[in-house]
Amino acid sequence: MKTTGMADFLESVSIKDKGILTLAKSFVNPPRIEKKEVENLNPDELLENAEDTLNRVETKTKPLEEKINELDAKNSRLTNAIKVAQNLIKFNFEFGDLADSKYVSIVSGKISLDSYEQFKLGMKNLPEEILVEYDDSTDKEFKILVIITLKANEDKISSLLRKLEFERFDLSGISGKPEEVIKKSESRIEEIEKEKESISMELAVISDEWLKELLVLKEQLEIAKQRSEIFSSFGETEKTVMFEGWVTVKNLEKTLDIIESTTMGYSIVDVSDPDVEKDKIPVQLDNPRFAKPYEMFVNMYSPPDYREVDPTILMAIIFPFFFGYCLTDAGYGVIDAIIGLVLFYGLGRNSKLMANVGLIFVACGVWAFILGMATNGFIGDLFPRWIIGVSYIPTTIQSINAFVFPQNILALALIVGVIHINMGLFIGAYNNITRGEVREALGTQIVWFILEIGVVIAAVAYLTTGITAAEIFGGPVIILSLLMLMYLNGPYGVMDVTGFLGTILSYARLLALCLSTGGIAMTVNILAGLADSLIPYIGFILAPIVFVGGHIANCAFQSLGAFINSLRLHYVEYFSQFYIGGSHKFRAFRTKRKHTEIGGK
């Protein structure tokens, strides 16, 4: 705790470069955290080293901290003196005259207008030898009072004021007239600020010398603390120790080898498979490298149950595609991909989370570029209309030109939705069947396959031969699915059909976001053109401002919307078909070193 407090203090007084360029540099190219090679000390040696380091730092910082605290106290008193003097400036009293004497008591302070009226009524019941001076406050809802009375009446006055909203002024240590007090106090405060700046510079030098050393020490102490705490979970006798824990199958042999070599063979190890019914089994996600960043989305929702399929790989494939579908602008896709690369090579150097977010943005940007080039979107209609002078990009697939055939984009979105939902239904059926819950699989997943088959048969029959064939071939299958719903899910199970239809229609949001991105981008282009052509003198200046500002805002909002809605389609529509979750992550007991390394490893 002492090391943490000292490190936090030195961090607060360190010299930090300010400004937009410095902020941008720290975002794009932050300095890599340099690890210090340290010895693997035992706890006693580490504590001795920590005490020595802290004493050496404290010897330098404590006098300066005490000086700063002393200056802050003086600053507080001077600030109070200025506040009191500003309130009493109209009275022009000598503050020394407002001090209590042997026979006279003087009270000064601020009271609200409502309380002031109550004060005047209360004064009628008090002796007459009480002098009340008052004036309006700078705040029109208050009055300033100076009450002069005999000592004998002090308690009565205090009792009355305590019942009201009266703020008493602290006049201790103040002398001179209000204007003089304000002038002297402000001058002294400036001197104090200069003294504090000088001390802060000294502390900054100490911070530069010792902060990294303290961060290293803090990490060593935290690791030692965790190691010490873990032993409380072990069973012990005088000469033996026993512990139990989880290990991933992939690391089982390595773990057994470590135990064997560390104990020189003097150990007994019992390895068993978990009991899925009784044990609370932790989950370790194991995915290919390209899918690793998307594990955080799965864990944000809930780590999967030990017995169900991990959806991370499918999410890694589908999420960027949905993002690109929502954005469908090649220019914005390039911007998002560049942002992803900046995150990966910038903040991602020191943060695994930022590195993962960067990789996700790159994949999303690539899909937005691909789909934008296919659907004729490149910063709205800027590239095709204003750069190459045609109505569409050469790579455009005309049947899905977003500005010409939005109905095809909608149809494609619904088809994608059906495929996505069916993937979830298939995984859900597999999960239920492998757990022996066949009835659950029939009523929750398989029944929808039957209903879809019936609809497809009816549609094909209607398109090829007519309504009668649709009734003959598709009708019985549809009726079978409805009967299954009522039998397996109760009489109201048939109502689930509307919910299932609503789930599929939710994928229409892919079209909505696609059109809003392109529509707003085209609007920005039109407004920029109008500003240039219709506004005299300054139009050519406003046009690029409208263009750049409008597209930055549109790209930011649409990218955020694409990200949120792609995540929603997974969490709400997709996961609801099969996902159980509710498990907890496997957390290996290991050191996480950010500032230190042992033996160069």
Side-chain angles (χ1 to χ4, degrees):
M1 289 172 64
K2 192 171 182 180
T3 305
T4 300
M6 186 70 71
D8 289 344
F9 173 70
L10 290 183
E11 173 70 21
S12 68
V13 298
S14 62
I15 297 176
K16 300 179 179 68
D17 293 333
K18 297 180 180 179
I20 296 176
L21 290 177
T22 303
L23 180 63
K25 184 179 178 181
S26 66
F27 184 81
V28 175
N29 187 30
R32 189 180 295 276
I33 296 174
E34 296 180 6
K35 293 186 177 183
K36 180 179 179 181
E37 189 173 323
V38 295
E39 297 180 34
N40 194 5
L41 303 174
N42 64 50
D44 291 335
E45 292 174 328
L46 179 59
L47 288 174
E48 184 178 347
N49 179 47
E51 289 173 357
D52 178 61
T53 302
L54 289 171
N55 287 335
R56 289 164 65 190
V57 178
E58 199 171 43
T59 301
K60 296 185 176 185
T61 60
K62 193 170 183 179
L64 298 176
E65 283 187 79
E66 290 175 351
K67 185 63 176 175
I68 285 180
N69 292 335
E70 182 183 334
L71 291 174
D72 285 339
K74 288 181 180 179
N75 198 337
S76 179
R77 290 196 295 269
L78 291 168
T79 303
N80 176 67
I82 291 173
K83 179 183 175 183
V84 172
Q86 287 173 339
N87 279 300
L88 295 173
I89 195 168
K90 293 182 181 179
F91 293 91
N92 201 30
F93 289 145
E94 176 74 38
F95 278 106
D97 296 338
L98 297 180
D100 288 354
S101 65
K102 184 176 181 180
Y103 299 105
V104 177
S105 174
I106 302 176
V107 178
S108 62
K110 186 164 68 173
I111 192 169
S112 66
L113 295 180
D114 292 339
S115 298
Y116 176 67
E117 296 300 324
Q118 297 178 44
F119 172 74
K120 288 196 298 183
L121 292 174
M123 285 290 292
K124 295 178 181 179
N125 300 323
L126 296 177
E128 295 182 359
E129 58 272 359
I130 298 175
L131 177 62
V132 179
E133 296 285 339
Y134 67 90
D135 206 334
D136 292 333
S137 168
T138 52
D139 186 341
K140 297 184 181 296
E141 295 183 2
F142 290 88
K143 281 190 177 295
I144 304 299
L145 298 183
V146 177
I147 306 166
I148 306 171
T149 183
L150 295 175
K151 278 282 186 182
N153 299 324
E154 183 179 12
D155 291 342
K156 296 176 183 178
I157 289 290
S158 298
S159 176
L160 175 61
L161 292 174
R162 272 196 297 270
K163 300 174 184 177
L164 306 172
E165 295 178 14
F166 182 75
E167 179 187 336
R168 186 166 182 165
F169 296 149
D170 181 10
L171 306 180
S172 60
I174 306 176
S175 61
K177 290 195 173 183
E179 290 183 357
E180 297 173 1
V181 170
I182 293 172
K183 188 175 180 180
K184 289 180 180 178
S185 297
E186 288 178 344
S187 176
R188 180 60 183 133
I189 286 175
E190 289 181 8
E191 293 175 4
I192 287 173
E193 290 301 321
K194 290 179 181 178
E195 288 183 56
K196 287 177 65 177
E197 285 181 16
S198 176
I199 295 171
S200 295
M201 291 301 295
E202 293 182 55
L203 287 170
V205 173
I206 298 172
S207 174
D208 187 57
E209 180 183 358
W210 287 99
L211 180 57
K212 290 182 180 178
E213 189 72 25
L214 287 174
L215 292 174
V216 168
L217 179 61
K218 176 186 173 184
E219 187 167 275
Q220 287 179 285
L221 290 168
E222 286 175 342
I223 292 170
K225 178 174 177 288
Q226 291 170 3
R227 284 177 174 168
S228 298
E229 288 174 344
I230 196 64
F231 290 110
S232 63
S233 303
F234 292 4
E236 290 186 66
T237 66
E238 184 178 349
K239 295 184 178 181
T240 63
V241 64
M242 182 188 77
F243 62 90
E244 183 180 25
W246 299 99
V247 64
T248 58
V249 174
K250 181 186 289 187
N251 292 320
L252 177 60
E253 292 302 322
K254 184 178 178 181
T255 303
L256 295 175
D257 290 342
I258 291 173
I259 296 172
E260 179 73 15
S261 61
T262 304
T263 63
M264 294 179 290
Y266 291 98
S267 59
I268 299 172
V269 181
D270 180 25
V271 179
S272 63
D273 291 328
D275 187 331
V276 293
E277 300 296 336
K278 297 179 180 179
D279 293 334
K280 192 175 181 181
I281 308 169
V283 171
Q284 170 75 3
L285 301 183
D286 186 16
N287 290 289
R289 189 173 180 180
F290 83 92
K292 279 286 183 186
Y294 298 85
E295 288 180 357
M296 68 176 180
F297 289 154
V298 175
N299 288 322
M300 278 169 54
Y301 187 82
S302 174
D305 184 81
Y306 182 73
R307 296 173 293 176
E308 69 176 322
V309 174
D310 176 11
T312 304
I313 292 179
L314 291 174
M315 194 172 189
I317 297 170
I318 299 168
F319 179 88
F321 171 75
F322 280 170
F323 181 99
Y325 204 122
C326 290
L327 207 58
T328 52
D329 190 289
Y332 292 170
V334 171
I335 293 171
D336 284 341
I338 292 173
I339 291 173
L341 289 172
V342 170
L343 282 173
F344 182 77
Y345 289 107
L347 296 177
R349 296 170 66 183
N350 298 321
S351 170
K352 187 176 180 181
L353 174 63
M354 287 294 102
N356 288 339
V357 172
L359 290 173
I360 291 171
F361 259 91
V362 170
C364 290
V366 168
W367 267 112
F369 176 82
I370 293 171
L371 294 178
M373 296 297 286
T375 59
N376 193 31
F378 199 114
I379 311 182
D381 59 348
L382 176 72
F383 189 79
R385 188 177 299 277
W386 301 102
I387 303 299
I388 61 177
V390 296
S391 59
Y392 58 87
I393 303 171
T395 57
T396 302
I397 300 173
Q398 288 301 330
S399 60
I400 55 172
N401 187 329
F403 301 128
V404 180
F405 299 109
Q407 68 274 18
N408 292 348
I409 301 289
L410 174 61
L412 185 60
L414 295 178
I415 292 170
V416 167
V418 170
I419 295 171
H420 196 223
I421 292 299
N422 277 282
M423 288 168 58
L425 292 173
F426 179 80
I427 296 171
Y430 173 81
N431 287 338
N432 283 324
I433 292 171
T434 55
R435 287 196 299 268
E437 298 173 358
V438 177
R439 182 185 177 90
E440 180 70 16
L442 286 169
T444 308
Q445 288 97 22
I446 295 174
V447 65
W448 301 116
F449 290 134
I450 296 173
L451 176 62
E452 289 173 347
I453 291 169
V455 171
V456 170
I457 292 173
V460 172
Y462 175 75
L463 292 173
T464 54
T465 58
I467 186 84
T468 305
E471 293 175 352
I472 294 172
F473 295 106
V477 181
I478 295 174
I479 292 172
L480 173 63
S481 66
L482 297 178
L483 291 174
M484 286 179 64
L485 279 172
M486 288 188 287
Y487 175 73
L488 296 168
N489 300 326
Y492 293 102
V494 71
M495 300 298 293
D496 293 341
V497 173
T498 57
F500 185 70
L501 179 62
T503 300
I504 293 174
L505 291 177
S506 290
Y507 287 80
R509 70 183 66 246
L510 295 172
L511 166 72
L513 271 79
C514 165
L515 294 182
S516 68
T517 303
I520 295 174
M522 289 177 63
T523 303
V524 171
N525 294 337
I526 292 170
L527 290 175
L530 291 175
D532 181 41
S533 60
L534 297 182
I535 302 177
Y537 307 115
I538 61 171
F540 72 97
I541 299 174
L542 289 177
I545 295 174
V546 171
F547 178 81
V548 174
H551 282 300
I552 288 175
N554 190 37
C555 180
F557 283 117
Q558 298 298 342
S559 295
L560 179 63
F563 196 90
I564 292 172
N565 281 281
S566 300
L567 206 56
R568 183 196 185 281
L569 287 173
H570 280 84
Y571 283 175
V572 180
E573 276 74 27
Y574 181 52
F575 281 7
S576 62
Q577 308 305 321
F578 68 93
Y579 205 79
I580 300 171
S583 186
H584 63 281
K585 289 175 64 177
F586 172 77
R587 300 184 184 278
F589 180 72
R590 62 184 178 189
T591 57
K592 294 182 179 180
R593 296 184 180 273
K594 185 177 180 180
H595 300 282
T596 64
E597 60 183 1
I598 295 178
K601 296 181 180 179

